[in-house]
């Protein structure tokens, strides 16, 4: 099916009930318009890739009409509310009628969105009118749903697309309750005391507009109540907090030993009781009882279903699920404590994604059963309320089913630094951070489109006069190491070198509009900022590591703060508050963040972050859930302009999105009953066994250290290299579910000089392969202790060889161009080919050396932590850092572990599972990694221990022989030739019951060596 192109997706007024919608069929969106409102259904729409197969349909749950199911309760309530609306809002209080008439008056200066009014109409109908019109079934179903999931609370949820104005709805709820309570204090349906709970500090601070006495309050700004009612509204008592406040705090600061003396079970007598926590949070509510709770982004608030659906999670998915479960538990436990202490009349949940998450005990994507109204993303797009997300639907790569930039994480994750480990980025020695080619290509391609948007902004002087700030590009990363790498690439970095006068040599960012380095100096006002969203949102102090990374931008913003507010002392403001202020004011004229063009975020940018100038989004992380995908895309959905056209409708605006798969996913999930399986065993490093820690070097490959002054080379078939769009797309089509498409290209790259290519390739060859290994330095940490000097005198010869290689060995296939080799990963591939020509030349004297990874240079047993359902062997605590050995066969691994534990020569050992120890090798010209079975540390007659790589071999296989050969012939001699990585040996065991003799032979050989 050809891609449907719909020139204008806005077919409804934002201020009236939708009257029509685009039809979906089994292939996705069509341009057929159905003359009725779309029913509430189980799917989240987004543009389909043009390359389509049945396999994508199964794997990603992309929209298929036969998998879409309606939300029957929501649709039934919607029908009853619509009938009640058309009947003139019967059965309600005079105060409620006055408010509804005020909100729906077509002559209003600031008309409210239909979705905002409908959310209130639904809550009002259920609370005040439903029983009077025979609809008792609504409350009965809600009470049943809450009894199952929230037995102590009565919750109602309104599902509203990001950018559709949930804060306005909160204000309307507060006005409705407060004014009714003041008009009739005896009416138990209402209350004028409110607790508003948010997922973080940013939203908490932004929601101060809910306070009637705030200068920017929404009641006045959005004209939600008539002026004569504003004084009455100020009688409301409103507390706004983030859910972190529900955590029980220490009332006194005491040592851990004191707590153990007082309470041997480890609990603290100085920790708040739940009642004390409630008193602390609700003190401003006075003696109010049965309060109203409003949960913003309420999908964070649920209790895990005991005995519910279990899903096996591993790695980052398991850690994220555990983290989410703990956050949700704190939130809902806090509300339950408030209910038991002072009472809760009702809880109103507002969220764009009120779904249960992976690991919650419910099928992932299951809609909260207490959702009573729904205005989905596709509804918001068709009404023009939000920007239209455009994602890659095709490119000229032609590999795989998805366009390269739709979901790049699977392609790049193994090439990026991991979290929490010391690493050294040696790539900057060649003048550019070492990004995977897919990531660098995505940044370049998306940036090329950003340049066009920026140019349009620059030319729009009227918009600038009205205070419109430049468009914003955001990158969402998975950890601090990755975000720093991407941030340096974008904004520039300190090379670590100095000029003769002592001034630091700064490298400008590779995306000029975002570079914080101008004319060799740091810019006074950064265009790019690095933010750790999660740390800022918790309210706790930032980690020292992140503070160190952000130190420069913190100092710059302090200087700007001092200039903006003469006489103020920015040092009295915490660094966290300062960065939070910058993040909150991105795109806002006259504020600290007004000139920010690029935000690189660790973790997801804050929900509720309302920078409406975001136009480009890049995801550099895993997106394991529908919720996370929609939340990240949601950061770019807020409209810039709310001016209507002659038809009274909004013109479409777009957001370009790379790296976020954002799949269709039916909320109902599978009906299949899962089969019970073996209970998993947690395999992990134990802190009390740290003396058994084993470390090992992590290699990218091998190189020859060439002696002599004259380089020779020989071009063979192994040196040839062809560029095609199969390596990387040169054009990408971005498209929305409906609306105009955009074409992104690498034209900026094509304009670079060809000489730059030869220069970069020569530099890469020099930096990667022509180094003199340094000695181990005791003043350096483990990841930074090996210095090596570049043999720079070889550069002129290598440059000439690179030029010859470009003439004789490079083939440019249709659609490609020479300058693509400036993308660093493609450049590395080409550099390897050039080095092959030099290394394979006869007559040169050479010594095999290792090429260490630039990140995670050393691995360790301390990072092992995973679950397994395989058989396990419990290890000896004095011989193994890790709790278990996992058995791949019925008995061989267990027997090998037993032998190693019984041998007195064995200091310690570890099974290579979850360890990340690999040996690079080549098979049929392809680079692969071999994972041997064990690493053993042995004592012999020498002072330093011998590290033994041990392989337990079963049946003979050709690939096993090649792996073993590379381990013996390349990895072991290269590591030993380095001189500072310890002594290493390799042994292949074909019979574990006779392994001791083979190991003893290795020890005798090493002692005699």
């Amino acid at each position: 099916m050809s891609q449907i192109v719909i020139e204008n997706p806005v077919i409804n007024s934002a201020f009236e009930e939708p009257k029509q919608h685009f039809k979906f069929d089994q292939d996705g969106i069509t341009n057929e318009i159905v003359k009725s409102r779309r029913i509430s259904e189980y799917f989240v729409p987004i543009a389909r890739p043009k390359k389509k197969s049945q396999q994508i349909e199964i794997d990603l749950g992309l929209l298929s009409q036969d998998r879409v199911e309606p939300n029957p309760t929501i649709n039934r309530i919607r029908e009853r509310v619509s009938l009640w609306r058309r009947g003139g809002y019967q059965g309600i209080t005079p105060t409620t009628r006055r408010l509804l008439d005020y909100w729906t008056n077509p002559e209003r200066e600031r008309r409210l969105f239909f979705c905002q009014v409908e959310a209130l109409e639904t809550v009002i109908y259920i609370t005040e009118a439903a029983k009077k019109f025979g609809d008792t079934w609504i409350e009965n179903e809600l009470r049943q749903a809450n009894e199952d999931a929230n037995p102590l609370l009565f919750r109602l949820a309104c599902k509203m697309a990001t950018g559709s104005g949930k804060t306005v709805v909160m204000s309307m709820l507060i006005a409705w309750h407060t004014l009714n309570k003041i008009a009739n204090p005896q009416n138990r349906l209402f209350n004028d005391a409110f607790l508003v709970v948010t997922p973080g500090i940013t939203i908490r601070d932004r929601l101060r507009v809910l306070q009637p006495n705030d200068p920017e309050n929404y009641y006045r700004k959005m004209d939600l109540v008539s002026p004569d009612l504003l004084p009455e509204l100020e009688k409301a008592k409103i507390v706004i907090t983030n859910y972190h406040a529900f955590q029980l705090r220490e009332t006194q600061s005491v040592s851990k030993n004191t707590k153990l003396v007082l309470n041997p079970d480890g609990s603290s007598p100085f920790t708040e009781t739940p009642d004390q926590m409630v008193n602390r949070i609700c003190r401003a509510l006075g003696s109010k009882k049965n309060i109203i709770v409003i949960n913003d982004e309420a999908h964070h608030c649920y209790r895990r279903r005991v005995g519910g659906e279990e899903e096996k999670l591993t790695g980052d998915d398991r850690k994220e699920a555990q983290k989410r479960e703990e956050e949700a538990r704190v939130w809902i436990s806090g509300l339950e404590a408030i209910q038991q202490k002072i009472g809760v009349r009702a809880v109103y949940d507002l969220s764009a994604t009120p779904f249960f998450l992976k690991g919650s005990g419910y099928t992932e994507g299951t809609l909260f059963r207490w959702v009573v109204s729904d205005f989905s993303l596709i509804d918001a797009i068709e009404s023009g309320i939000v920007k239209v997300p455009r994602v890659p639907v095709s490119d000229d790569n032609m590999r795989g089913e998805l366009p390269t930039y739709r979901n790049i994480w699977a392609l790049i994750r193994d090439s990026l630094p991991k979290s929490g480990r010391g690493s050294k980025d040696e790539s900057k020695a060649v003048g550019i951070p070492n990004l995977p080619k897919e990531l660098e290509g995505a940044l370049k391609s998306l940036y090329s489109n950003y340049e066009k948007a920026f140019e349009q902004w620059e030319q729009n002087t009227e918009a600038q006069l009205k205070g419109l700030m430049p468009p914003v590009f955001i990158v969402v990363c998975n950890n601090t190491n990755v975000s720093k790498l991407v941030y340096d690439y974008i904004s520039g970095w300190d090379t670590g070198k100095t000029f003769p006068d002592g001034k630091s040599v700064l490298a400008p960012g590779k995306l000029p509009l975002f570079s914080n380095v101008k004319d060799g100096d740091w810019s006074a006002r950064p265009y790019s900022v690095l933010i750790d969203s999660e740390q800022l949102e918790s309210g706790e102090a930032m980690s020292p590591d992140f503070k160190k990374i952000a130190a420069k931008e913190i100092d710059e913003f302090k200087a700007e703060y001092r200039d903006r507010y003469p006489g103020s002392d920015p040092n009295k403001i915490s660094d966290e508050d300062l960065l939070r202020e910058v993040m909150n004011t991105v795109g806002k004229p006259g504020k600290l963040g007004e000139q920010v063009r690029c935000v690189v975020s660790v973790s997801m940018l804050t929900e509720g972050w309302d920078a409406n100038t975001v136009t480009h989004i890049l995801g550099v992380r895993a997106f394991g859930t529908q919720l996370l995908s929609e939340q990240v895309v949601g950061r770019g959905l807020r409209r810039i302009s709310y001016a209507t056209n002659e038809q009274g409708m909004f013109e479409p605006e777009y957001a370009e999105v790379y790296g976020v798969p954002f799949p269709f996913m039916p909320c109902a999930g599978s009906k299949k009953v899962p089969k019970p399986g073996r209970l998993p065993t947690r395999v992990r490093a134990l802190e009390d066994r740290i003396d058994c820690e084993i470390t090992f070097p992590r290699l990218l490959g091998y190189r020859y250290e060439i002696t002599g002054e004259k380089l020779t080379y020989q071009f063979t078939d192994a040196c040839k290299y062809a560029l095609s769009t199969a390596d990387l797309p040169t054009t990408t089509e971005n498209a929305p579910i409906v609306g105009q498409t955009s074409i992104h290209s690498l034209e900026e790259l094509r304009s670079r000089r060809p000489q730059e290519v030869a220069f970069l390739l020569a530099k890469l060859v020099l930096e990667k392969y022509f180094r003199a290994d340094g000695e181990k330095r005791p003043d350096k940490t483990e990841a930074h202790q090996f210095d090596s000097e570049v043999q720079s005198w070889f550069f002129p010869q290598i440059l000439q060889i690179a030029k010859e290689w470009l003439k004789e060995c490079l083939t440019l296939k249709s659609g490609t161009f020479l300058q693509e080799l400036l993308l660093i990963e493609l450049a590395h591939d080409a550099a390897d080919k050039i080095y092959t020509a030099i290394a394979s030349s006869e007559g040169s004297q050479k010594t095999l050396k290792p090429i260490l990874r630039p990140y995670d240079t050393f691995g360790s047993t301390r990072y092992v932590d995973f679950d397994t359902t395989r058989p396990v062997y419990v290890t000896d605590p004095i011989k193994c850092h890790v709790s278990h050995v996992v058995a791949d066969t019925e008995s061989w691994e267990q027997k090998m572990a037993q032998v190693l534990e019984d041998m007195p020569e064995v200091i310690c050992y570890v099974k290579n599972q979850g360890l990340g120890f690999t040996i690079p090798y080549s098979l049929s010209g392809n680079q692969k990694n071999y994972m041997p079975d064990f690493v053993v540390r042995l004592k012999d007659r020498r002072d330093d221990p011998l590290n033994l790589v041990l392989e337990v071999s079963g049946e003979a296989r050709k690939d096993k022989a090649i792996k073993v050969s590379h381990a013996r012939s390349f990895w072991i001699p290269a590591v030993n030739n380095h001189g500072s990585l310890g002594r290493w040996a390799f042994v292949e065991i074909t019979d574990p019951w006779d392994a001791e003799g083979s190991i003893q032979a290795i020890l005798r050989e090493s002692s005699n060596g």
Side-chain angles (χ1 to χ4, degrees):
M1 173 184 170
S2 61
Q3 179 77 11
I4 296 295
V5 176
I6 299 171
E7 293 298 326
N8 187 352
V10 181
I11 56 175
N12 292 307
S13 167
F15 311 108
E16 299 173 3
E17 183 175 12
K19 295 180 174 62
Q20 51 192 358
H21 66 276
F22 289 106
K23 181 181 178 181
F24 285 82
D25 62 18
Q26 65 272 14
D27 290 311
I29 188 74
T30 73
N31 55 8
E32 180 182 347
I33 294 178
V34 180
K35 296 294 183 178
S36 64
R37 184 178 181 181
R38 175 181 284 103
I39 65 170
S40 175
E41 295 176 316
Y42 287 119
F43 73 90
V44 178
I46 198 67
R48 303 174 59 84
K50 284 186 175 178
K51 307 167 192 173
K52 183 177 77 73
S53 75
Q54 186 64 25
Q55 189 62 38
I56 292 185
E57 201 81 41
I58 294 169
D59 289 348
L60 292 182
L62 293 171
L63 177 63
S64 174
Q65 195 63 32
D66 60 0
R67 297 188 66 188
V68 174
E69 294 183 22
N71 292 310
T73 300
I74 296 173
N75 289 318
R76 196 175 167 196
I77 292 174
R78 181 185 288 176
E79 290 175 2
R80 298 301 295 165
V81 171
S82 179
L83 183 64
W84 173 69
R85 180 192 306 122
R86 294 195 302 271
Y89 297 133
Q90 300 300 309
I92 56 177
T93 69
T95 299
T96 302
R97 177 175 294 280
R98 182 178 175 182
L99 286 171
L100 282 169
D101 289 342
Y102 196 76
W103 294 334
T104 57
N105 182 356
E107 303 302 318
R108 284 173 56 93
E109 179 68 22
R110 296 198 65 135
R111 296 184 68 186
L112 298 175
F113 294 156
F114 169 79
C115 61
Q116 296 167 335
V117 175
E118 185 186 51
L120 259 294
E121 287 174 336
T122 304
V123 173
I124 289 169
Y125 180 75
I126 292 170
T127 305
E128 294 189 49
K131 290 181 181 178
K132 299 174 183 177
F133 296 101
D135 287 330
T136 55
W137 62 270
I138 299 177
E139 184 172 328
N140 291 339
E141 285 198 15
L142 288 172
R143 291 201 178 279
Q144 181 61 54
N146 281 287
E147 183 63 27
D148 292 342
N150 314 286
L152 298 181
L153 302 168
F154 182 71
R155 299 174 69 179
L156 292 86
C158 296
K159 180 173 177 284
M160 299 179 66
T162 297
S164 59
K166 293 191 294 294
T167 306
V168 172
V169 172
M170 293 181 215
S171 305
M172 295 164 77
L173 281 167
I174 291 172
W176 168 57
H177 264 281
T178 300
L179 296 176
N180 268 292
K181 189 65 175 178
I182 291 172
N184 185 0
Q186 305 307 313
N187 193 329
R188 297 181 61 188
L189 292 177
F190 305 101
N191 208 324
D192 56 358
F194 303 86
L195 176 66
V196 182
V197 189
T198 75
I201 291 176
T202 296
I203 304 181
R204 182 200 69 185
D205 294 344
R206 188 171 63 81
L207 290 186
R208 62 181 180 268
V209 296
L210 299 178
Q211 298 283 6
N213 57 0
D214 188 271
E216 297 294 317
N217 77 82
Y218 267 24
Y219 312 100
R220 178 181 286 106
K221 185 175 181 179
M222 304 300 294
D223 191 22
L224 297 181
V225 298
S226 57
D228 60 301
L229 292 178
L230 283 172
E232 295 294 300
L233 202 54
E234 290 182 359
K235 297 176 183 177
K237 293 183 179 295
I238 304 170
V239 169
I240 305 171
T241 188
N242 50 310
Y243 83 90
H244 306 81
F246 291 151
Q247 293 174 322
L248 302 181
R249 299 177 179 175
E250 296 291 319
T251 57
Q252 294 185 37
S253 178
V254 294
S255 68
K256 183 178 179 181
N257 290 336
T258 303
K259 295 177 188 176
L260 290 174
V261 170
L262 295 172
N263 275 4
D265 65 353
S267 62
S268 171
F270 302 105
T271 301
E272 285 180 326
T273 65
D275 281 359
Q276 289 173 322
M277 177 271 292
V278 174
N279 288 338
R280 166 170 54 82
I281 291 174
C282 299
R283 187 175 296 117
L285 299 181
S287 60
K288 295 288 185 178
K289 302 291 185 182
N290 297 317
I291 65 172
I292 303 298
V293 173
I294 300 175
N295 283 334
D296 195 10
E297 307 295 351
H299 49 269
H300 293 287
C301 178
Y302 61 86
R303 185 170 298 286
R304 191 180 191 283
R305 188 179 188 185
V306 178
E309 177 175 315
E310 295 291 336
E311 183 177 1
K312 178 175 172 57
L313 302 176
T314 59
D316 290 341
D317 279 351
R318 178 164 63 86
K319 292 176 182 176
E320 274 199 27
Q322 290 172 343
K323 177 175 167 293
R324 287 194 301 262
E325 181 184 339
E326 176 59 17
E327 291 170 349
R329 184 197 63 77
V330 169
W331 192 324
I332 198 164
S333 295
L335 295 185
E336 289 170 345
I338 293 169
Q339 166 70 296
Q340 292 176 330
K341 174 70 174 174
I342 63 175
V344 174
R345 172 74 64 207
V347 179
Y348 298 110
D349 295 337
L350 289 106
S351 171
T353 51
F355 308 128
F356 287 108
L357 306 180
K358 185 183 293 185
S360 65
Y362 296 82
T363 302
E364 182 188 9
T366 299
L367 196 70
F368 288 172
R369 285 181 55 203
W370 52 93
V371 176
V372 295
S373 69
D374 176 21
F375 200 79
S376 66
L377 176 56
I378 187 64
D379 295 326
I381 289 172
E382 290 171 342
S383 297
I385 292 173
V386 297
K387 291 193 185 95
V388 186
R390 289 195 285 213
V391 299
V393 293
S394 71
D395 59 34
D396 56 0
N397 178 264
M398 301 304 292
R399 284 192 175 184
E401 299 288 352
L402 287 177
T404 303
Y405 301 144
R406 172 70 77 90
N407 181 17
I408 63 172
W409 180 249
L411 304 175
I412 65 176
R413 59 187 174 193
D414 293 333
S415 302
L416 291 172
K418 304 297 184 294
S419 175
R421 305 184 188 181
S423 61
K424 179 182 179 182
D425 184 3
E426 296 177 350
S427 63
K428 290 179 187 172
V430 303
I432 182 171
N434 190 5
L435 303 183
K437 66 176 184 293
E438 294 87 357
L439 177 54
E440 189 176 15
L443 281 165
K444 289 276 190 181
S445 179
L446 196 56
Y447 174 78
S448 71
N449 185 265
Y450 175 90
E451 284 183 309
K452 296 174 184 176
F454 186 85
E455 183 179 355
Q456 290 176 350
W457 171 80
E458 277 191 314
Q459 295 172 354
N460 192 341
T461 54
E462 180 182 355
Q464 293 185 49
L465 288 172
K466 291 182 178 179
L468 180 64
M469 291 295 102
V472 175
F473 185 116
I474 64 175
V475 186
V476 180
C477 301
N478 63 320
N479 66 51
T480 306
N481 290 340
V482 171
S483 66
K484 183 63 168 64
L485 179 68
V486 173
Y487 179 69
D488 283 351
Y489 178 91
I490 288 172
S491 68
W493 67 92
D494 188 332
T495 65
K497 301 175 183 177
T498 56
F499 290 106
D501 62 359
K503 181 182 176 182
S504 295
V505 178
L506 306 180
K510 308 307 291 184
L511 307 182
L513 289 173
F514 303 151
S515 179
N516 290 339
V517 177
K518 300 293 181 183
D519 300 322
D521 288 316
W522 294 115
S523 301
R525 301 184 68 187
Y527 289 131
S528 296
V529 293
L530 178 63
I531 297 292
D532 188 325
S533 307
E534 189 171 302
Q535 291 189 14
L536 292 183
E537 284 307 292
S538 68
E540 300 173 358
M542 290 186 296
S543 67
D545 287 344
F546 187 79
K547 270 200 172 185
K548 183 178 179 181
I549 291 172
K552 177 180 64 63
E553 63 186 86
I554 289 171
D555 288 341
E556 288 166 348
F557 282 118
K558 282 184 176 179
E560 184 176 352
Y561 188 92
R562 191 177 290 110
D563 292 339
R564 283 180 180 272
Y565 308 105
S568 63
D569 184 3
N571 293 318
K572 292 182 179 179
I573 303 172
S574 73
D575 295 340
E576 292 82 357
D577 286 339
L578 191 69
L579 286 182
R580 200 177 293 116
E581 175 66 9
V582 173
M583 184 172 69
N584 289 349
T585 58
V586 169
K588 293 180 172 56
K591 303 292 184 180
L592 280 180
E594 68 174 351
Q595 291 298 329
V596 171
R597 300 172 185 172
C598 180
V599 178
V600 180
S601 168
V602 186
S603 185
M604 193 192 72
L605 276 164
T606 306
E607 295 167 278
W609 187 61
D610 63 344
N612 62 350
T613 50
V614 174
T615 54
H616 295 73
I617 301 171
L618 174 61
V620 188
R621 56 158 298 156
F623 291 91
T625 66
Q626 168 198 359
L627 173 65
L628 186 58
S629 294
E630 186 168 354
Q631 286 174 337
V632 171
V633 170
R635 299 317 101 213
L637 292 184
R638 297 182 187 276
R639 287 186 63 92
I640 295 173
S641 170
Y642 288 92
T644 57
N645 58 23
E646 293 179 358
Q647 290 75 40
M649 295 195 290
F650 295 134
E651 293 294 335
E653 295 180 359
Y654 296 94
E656 310 292 343
V657 182
Y658 281 13
V660 185
F662 199 38
F664 294 107
M665 190 176 295
C667 298
S670 172
K671 300 281 196 302
K672 187 182 295 184
V673 179
K675 295 180 180 179
R678 185 199 301 262
L679 290 175
T681 300
R682 184 180 180 188
V683 179
R684 61 191 178 110
L686 301 172
E687 290 185 18
D688 58 352
R689 301 188 187 184
I690 192 63
D691 290 342
C692 296
E693 179 186 16
I694 291 177
T695 59
F696 53 90
R698 294 163 58 86
L699 272 60
L700 284 176
Y702 317 95
R703 67 181 178 89
Y704 286 102
E705 187 174 87
I706 299 174
T707 57
E709 297 297 322
K710 177 68 176 174
L711 296 181
T712 60
Y713 62 94
Q714 180 179 354
F715 294 143
T716 64
D717 287 345
C719 304
K720 293 181 178 179
Y721 189 62
L723 268 181
S724 77
T725 55
D727 298 307
L728 196 71
T730 56
T731 61
T732 295
E733 179 182 355
N734 242 36
I737 187 76
V738 286
Q740 295 180 341
T741 62
S742 61
I743 304 298
H744 303 181
S745 67
L746 296 173
E747 284 305 313
E748 181 273 336
L749 204 61
R750 192 191 291 266
S751 66
R752 304 280 285 278
R753 293 184 305 160
Q755 295 92 319
E756 288 185 64
V757 177
F759 190 88
L760 175 62
L761 297 184
K763 197 171 186 182
L764 284 172
V765 173
L766 180 74
E767 296 284 353
K768 186 174 182 180
Y769 292 108
F770 289 84
R771 288 178 174 272
D773 290 328
E775 296 183 357
K776 191 170 182 178
R777 301 229 342 233
D779 59 322
K780 298 288 185 181
T781 61
E782 186 177 33
H784 295 252
Q785 62 191 204
F786 299 110
D787 289 336
S788 56
E789 293 194 12
V790 175
Q791 297 168 307
S792 56
W793 56 88
F794 282 125
F795 183 77
Q797 296 182 62
I798 298 172
L799 179 59
Q800 186 58 41
I801 296 170
K803 291 178 179 178
E804 293 297 321
W805 179 86
L806 288 170
K807 292 178 184 176
E808 298 186 28
C809 297
L810 178 65
T811 301
L812 297 175
K813 294 188 177 180
S814 178
T816 62
F817 49 91
L818 177 68
Q819 292 87 341
E820 284 184 54
L821 291 179
L822 291 173
L823 295 175
I824 197 65
E825 186 168 331
L826 295 180
H828 272 295
D829 293 341
D832 290 343
K833 297 291 186 180
I834 296 170
Y835 176 70
T836 298
I838 299 171
S840 60
S841 177
E842 298 178 0
S844 58
Q845 296 180 342
K846 47 200 176 188
T847 303
L848 190 67
K849 292 292 183 77
I851 301 175
L852 298 172
R853 287 179 179 265
Y855 318 110
D856 307 322
T857 308
F858 294 90
S860 167
T861 49
R862 69 174 63 199
Y863 303 117
V864 175
D865 188 354
F866 62 92
D867 290 338
T868 182
T869 55
R870 294 180 182 178
V872 294
Y873 172 90
V874 179
T875 58
D876 185 339
I878 66 171
K879 286 291 180 82
C880 189
H881 191 187
V882 177
S883 58
H884 301 80
V885 163
V886 179
D888 296 321
T889 61
E890 292 186 0
S891 57
W892 283 36
E893 282 80 9
Q894 295 97 317
K895 179 60 182 176
M896 193 68 247
Q898 183 186 42
V899 170
L900 294 173
E901 290 180 353
D902 289 344
M903 288 185 65
E905 297 89 348
V906 173
I907 301 170
C908 53
Y909 77 97
V910 66
K911 173 79 183 331
N912 186 21
Q913 189 143 356
L915 186 63
F917 173 42
T918 59
I919 291 177
Y921 73 101
S922 295
L923 180 63
S924 301
N926 296 317
Q927 190 71 21
K928 295 181 178 292
N929 283 303
Y930 153 49
M931 191 169 73
D933 290 320
F934 288 86
V935 182
V936 187
R937 184 161 290 170
L938 300 164
K939 53 187 174 184
D940 57 10
R941 296 176 184 175
R942 296 173 63 171
D943 293 336
D944 57 328
L946 175 68
N947 300 288
L948 180 66
V949 179
L950 188 151
E951 175 67 29
V952 181
S953 295
E955 60 185 78
R957 296 199 316 270
K958 179 182 177 181
D959 65 331
K960 174 58 73 70
I962 293 173
K963 294 174 183 177
V964 169
S965 173
H966 267 75
R968 283 196 173 115
S969 304
F970 286 88
W971 198 92
I972 295 297
V975 171
N976 285 334
N977 286 340
H978 188 281
S980 300
L981 301 175
R983 291 189 297 133
W984 290 81
F986 180 89
V987 65
E988 183 179 16
I989 304 294
T990 56
D991 181 0
W993 283 265
D994 192 31
E996 187 171 352
S998 300
I999 296 173
Q1000 295 284 5
I1002 292 290
L1003 284 170
R1004 288 193 295 272
E1005 183 180 339
S1006 68
S1007 296
N1008 296 330

